[in-house]
Amino acid sequence: RVQLVESGGGSVQAGGSLRLSCVASESPYRNFCMTWFRRSPGKEREAVAAIYSDGGHTYYVDSVKARFTVSRDNLKNTMYLQMNDLKPEDTGMYYCGIKIMCGTTWGRQGDYPYWGQGTQVTVSS
């Protein structure tokens, strides 16, 4: 079964940056969608950013569009999330997931058969 391992989380002050990584043990499909999710205190889990295998199709929740950048290295089966100008509301556990396609349903959590264990991000004022 595909294993996903997130890393790169930590504690930073507001305005700081972090770079998260998600490494997949193997490619489950020829082409597939890799997505970052987060669960913040007092909020529902939400999709944050996604990227398809072609690297050109990316997706973001509105609250992070100007600050986060998702990318991937298909040869390494790795997805990244560069997070700049972090805000306290970005605090939460960040997870990565894989499903076969992104498209308009990129944030539909029930579609994802593969999930990582998460990495914690804490942003203080």
Side-chain angles (χ1 to χ4, degrees), residues 42-112:
K43 295 183 177 181
E44 300 293 326
R45 185 174 60 187
E46 65 176 347
V48 177
I51 184 167
Y52 192 58
S53 291
D54 64 5
H57 288 85
T58 57
Y59 310 79
Y60 299 93
V61 66
D62 286 345
S63 61
V64 309
K65 281 184 177 178
R67 301 180 294 118
F68 292 9
T69 301
V70 64
S71 61
R72 67 192 280 178
D73 183 338
N74 293 334
L75 295 179
K76 297 180 179 179
N77 288 326
T78 301
M79 173 178 65
Y80 306 95
L81 186 66
Q82 179 64 48
M83 305 186 294
N84 298 324
D85 191 24
L86 284 162
K87 303 178 182 298
E89 53 263 42
D90 295 318
T91 292
M93 186 70 74
Y94 283 69
Y95 305 87
C96 64
I98 287 177
K99 70 167 182 170
I100 190 165
M101 292 183 289
C102 295
T104 57
T105 65
W106 69 275
R108 186 184 292 168
Q109 298 178 42
D111 288 355
Y112 287 79

Side-chain angles (χ1 to χ4, degrees), residues 35 38 40 44 77 120:
T35 303
R38 69 184 178 192
S40 300
E44 300 293 326
N77 288 326
Q120 178 67 38

Side-chain angles (χ1 to χ4, degrees), residues 6-7 10 17 64 73 77 92 116 125:
E6 302 94 333
S7 62
S17 298
V64 309
D73 183 338
N77 288 326
S125 300

